[in-house]
Amino acid sequence: MKKSVIILFFLTSFFCSNAGTPKINYEMFSLGGNFVYSIEDGYTGLNGKLTLPLSSKFVSFVFQGTLFPSQMQLGEETIDEIRSKVNVQITPIHIGKFSTYFQAGFDNGMWKRKYEVENSELHKNWKIQESIMFGAGFNYNVKGVRFYADWMYMPDIYSNHIGIGMHILFFEKKMYRKFYMQRRKKSSIFNIKYRRKKKGSSIKL
C-alpha cells in the first residue's frame, strides 16, 4: 500500500513538473459535418461526426449520424433515410498538415418510401437495415479546423457513401490549443525542409 502511494506521488510530481511545457499533438474531441452522397442510390444527404481520440492522434472512436431527407432528392420516387455508425478510426500516416485514415465499425439505419407502390405498404412502414462498415479518407489541418474527404462502404446493404466536410477541434484548455497550434507549425514538413536548408548553408569550408 505504501509503495503504491509513493509511486502515485512520484508520478503526479513528475507530470506536474512537466506541465509548463505540455506536448499536445491531438485534440480532446472534434465535431464534424459533411455533405454525403450515396453512389448506388443517387441520394444526397448530411452526415455528422463526433470524434474522440483514444489518448493518441493515431486512434479515435467515432460516432456518426446520417440523414437522407426526401427534400434533398431529385425525382418523384424519393425516400427518407436515417443511419447511424459507430466505428474506430486509425490514422497511421501524418505528413505535415496532411494525414490518411482507415475506419471500420458497424452501421444501422432505417428508411421509408415517400411514394406509393401498387399492392405494397412499404411507404407506410420503416424498413430496418444493418451492416458492417469500412472505409478510408484524407485530412488537411488548417489551424483549429480539419477538412476531410471520406469514403464508407457497407457491404451488407451494397452501399458506398462519399463525402467532403470539416471538423472543428476542441481542447480542454486554451493553453492546450495554443501549444497544439505551435507544435503543428513546428512539425510542418515545409518548416523541416527550410531548417535543413538553413543549417546546410551555415556550414563553412
mmCIF file of all heavy atoms in Angstrom, residues 1-9:
data_model
loop_
_atom_site.group_PDB
_atom_site.id
_atom_site.type_symbol
_atom_site.label_atom_id
_atom_site.label_comp_id
_atom_site.label_asym_id
_atom_site.label_seq_id
_atom_site.Cartn_x
_atom_site.Cartn_y
_atom_site.Cartn_z
ATOM 1 N N MET A 1 0.830 -1.210 0.000
ATOM 2 C CA MET A 1 0.000 0.000 0.000
ATOM 3 C C MET A 1 0.860 1.254 0.000
ATOM 4 O O MET A 1 0.635 2.189 -0.742
ATOM 5 C CB MET A 1 -0.932 -0.006 1.217
ATOM 6 C CG MET A 1 -1.858 1.199 1.285
ATOM 7 S SD MET A 1 -3.057 1.177 -0.065
ATOM 8 C CE MET A 1 -3.981 2.664 0.293
ATOM 9 N N LYS A 2 1.890 1.248 0.874
ATOM 10 C CA LYS A 2 2.779 2.411 0.959
ATOM 11 C C LYS A 2 3.537 2.604 -0.347
ATOM 12 O O LYS A 2 3.754 3.724 -0.812
ATOM 13 C CB LYS A 2 3.755 2.241 2.111
ATOM 14 C CG LYS A 2 3.121 2.389 3.494
ATOM 15 C CD LYS A 2 4.182 2.287 4.582
ATOM 16 C CE LYS A 2 3.550 2.466 5.953
ATOM 17 N NZ LYS A 2 4.564 2.382 7.040
ATOM 18 N N LYS A 3 3.965 1.457 -0.947
ATOM 19 C CA LYS A 3 4.676 1.557 -2.223
ATOM 20 C C LYS A 3 3.799 2.179 -3.301
ATOM 21 O O LYS A 3 4.249 3.004 -4.103
ATOM 22 C CB LYS A 3 5.132 0.169 -2.674
ATOM 23 C CG LYS A 3 6.361 -0.345 -1.937
ATOM 24 C CD LYS A 3 6.817 -1.646 -2.566
ATOM 25 C CE LYS A 3 8.093 -2.140 -1.896
ATOM 26 N NZ LYS A 3 8.573 -3.405 -2.508
ATOM 27 N N SER A 4 2.532 1.793 -3.324
ATOM 28 C CA SER A 4 1.599 2.338 -4.316
ATOM 29 C C SER A 4 1.424 3.834 -4.131
ATOM 30 O O SER A 4 1.388 4.596 -5.111
ATOM 31 C CB SER A 4 0.240 1.634 -4.208
ATOM 32 O OG SER A 4 0.366 0.247 -4.415
ATOM 33 N N VAL A 5 1.315 4.284 -2.879
ATOM 34 C CA VAL A 5 1.161 5.710 -2.598
ATOM 35 C C VAL A 5 2.402 6.476 -3.026
ATOM 36 O O VAL A 5 2.314 7.550 -3.630
ATOM 37 C CB VAL A 5 0.883 5.935 -1.095
ATOM 38 C CG1 VAL A 5 0.899 7.426 -0.781
ATOM 39 C CG2 VAL A 5 -0.444 5.312 -0.704
ATOM 40 N N ILE A 6 3.594 5.910 -2.755
ATOM 41 C CA ILE A 6 4.848 6.570 -3.128
ATOM 42 C C ILE A 6 4.971 6.675 -4.647
ATOM 43 O O ILE A 6 5.349 7.712 -5.194
ATOM 44 C CB ILE A 6 6.047 5.802 -2.538
ATOM 45 C CG1 ILE A 6 6.046 5.925 -1.015
ATOM 46 C CG2 ILE A 6 7.358 6.348 -3.103
ATOM 47 C CD1 ILE A 6 7.063 5.056 -0.332
ATOM 48 N N ILE A 7 4.636 5.575 -5.330
ATOM 49 C CA ILE A 7 4.710 5.584 -6.798
ATOM 50 C C ILE A 7 3.729 6.595 -7.383
ATOM 51 O O ILE A 7 4.051 7.350 -8.312
ATOM 52 C CB ILE A 7 4.427 4.172 -7.354
ATOM 53 C CG1 ILE A 7 5.561 3.223 -6.964
ATOM 54 C CG2 ILE A 7 4.284 4.219 -8.878
ATOM 55 C CD1 ILE A 7 5.287 1.768 -7.309
ATOM 56 N N LEU A 8 2.502 6.622 -6.866
ATOM 57 C CA LEU A 8 1.492 7.567 -7.337
ATOM 58 C C LEU A 8 1.945 9.003 -7.105
ATOM 59 O O LEU A 8 1.796 9.866 -7.975
ATOM 60 C CB LEU A 8 0.165 7.312 -6.625
ATOM 61 C CG LEU A 8 -1.012 8.209 -7.016
ATOM 62 C CD1 LEU A 8 -1.341 8.037 -8.494
ATOM 63 C CD2 LEU A 8 -2.234 7.889 -6.167
ATOM 64 N N PHE A 9 2.538 9.261 -5.936
ATOM 65 C CA PHE A 9 3.031 10.605 -5.616
ATOM 66 C C PHE A 9 4.161 11.002 -6.557
ATOM 67 O O PHE A 9 4.224 12.124 -7.040
ATOM 68 C CB PHE A 9 3.515 10.655 -4.166
ATOM 69 C CG PHE A 9 4.106 11.978 -3.766
ATOM 70 C CD1 PHE A 9 3.282 13.067 -3.465
ATOM 71 C CD2 PHE A 9 5.483 12.149 -3.702
ATOM 72 C CE1 PHE A 9 3.832 14.288 -3.113
ATOM 73 C CE2 PHE A 9 6.029 13.362 -3.354
ATOM 74 C CZ PHE A 9 5.206 14.444 -3.056
#
